[in-house]
Structures are given as structure tokens and as C-alpha cells.
Amino acid sequence: MTTDPTAPMVKVWDPLQRGFHWLLLVMIATCWLTGDDGPKTLHQASGYVAGGLIAFRLVWGVIGSRHARFADFVRGPRAVLAYLAALWRGEEARHLGHNPAGGAMIVALLAVVGTTALTGWLQTTDLFWGSEALEELHEIAANLILVLAAFHVGGVLYESWHHRENLITAMIDGKKRAE
């Protein structure tokens, strides 16, 4: 299903939402590059910023602009599975905001990035200093970010191609074609 590529453009993603998205990408990349052998202070600082960004996004998901709000895009499992089935058939509907699968991905990424930041911070506390179990959980969550990010990028590329709409550009300028 495609839409008219000549349709007028409308603002969808607000500047705070877009800034959050790209800054989180930079913080995650920095954490990855400094994780094992890099400077620990940069790794920790980037992790703290990522954790702060997650906290911001949770608040913005409640009080933010229309398409930033969780109520606009978080759907139950049935809706997500129905959307994925339509996607498999190549019949998925275009959404001005996030589609149900994208909404599920946002929730998953927020949870996993939040878990990674929290477990990283906990390892600096007296209670969990040197905890191998927490270190393992931190590493598993960090690896899961990469898996989810790969699916996220794949979904963005597919939807961009299928609906003839550059979603990467939309996450830069905030605009998409009107419905």
C-alpha cells in the first residue's frame, strides 16, 4: 500500500522527540565504543546521559506532542500481531505517527536501554560493586540493544521503501506526507 508522494507535508515529530532520538543514538554508540577497553569515565558519562534521556522520554511520552505520546502509538499484542501479519502480506497501513510494530519497538528499546543504564549505574554502588551477575545482565542488555536496533533500522528502511517515504529525513526535519 502506497500513498501519494505529492501530498502536502505536515509536522509529525517535534524537536524534542527528534533530539532525543539522535542524542540517544550518539550516547549508545559512545557506550559501545568505550565499553570494554575505552575510557571508563566517558562510558559512564554516556550511560548516565542515556539513562537521563530515557527518563525524559518517559515523561515526554505522557506530556509531549501528539505523536510523541504513548497513547498515540502503544498498542496491545493483538494489534501488533495483526499489523505484523498485514506487513508480512505487504498490506500494512501507513501511519502518520508510529505504526503498532514501531510502537512496540519503542517500548522494547526504552526498556532495554533503561535496563542497560540502570545495571551500569548499579555496578558503581557499594551494594553491587563487583557483582558478576549484574555485569552479565548489563552485557546481555547492551547486546540486545544491537539486535533491537537492527530490527528498528530494518523496519524503517522497509517502510520507507514500501510507502515511498524517507523516514530518516522525517526524523531530521520532523515532516511526513499528510494522510
Side-chain angles (χ1 to χ4, degrees), residues 43-72:
H43 180 83
Q44 289 175 343
S46 299
Y48 292 146
V49 172
L53 287 167
I54 296 300
F56 159 77
R57 186 62 180 95
L58 293 175
V59 171
W60 200 242
V62 175
I63 67 169
S65 62
R66 175 183 170 198
H67 295 294
R69 288 187 219 130
F70 297 128
D72 185 65

Side-chain angles (χ1 to χ4, degrees), residues 159-174:
E159 289 288 309
S160 291
W161 169 79
H162 190 70
H163 294 292
R164 292 179 172 79
E165 178 168 54
N166 189 333
L167 296 179
I168 296 169
T169 300
M171 242 348 206
I172 294 170
D173 66 13

Side-chain angles (χ1 to χ4, degrees), residues 88-107:
W88 183 256
R89 296 187 307 270
E91 301 172 354
E92 79 282 1
R94 176 183 176 265
H95 291 259
L96 189 57
H98 292 98
N99 63 51
M105 179 57 71
I106 289 169
V107 171

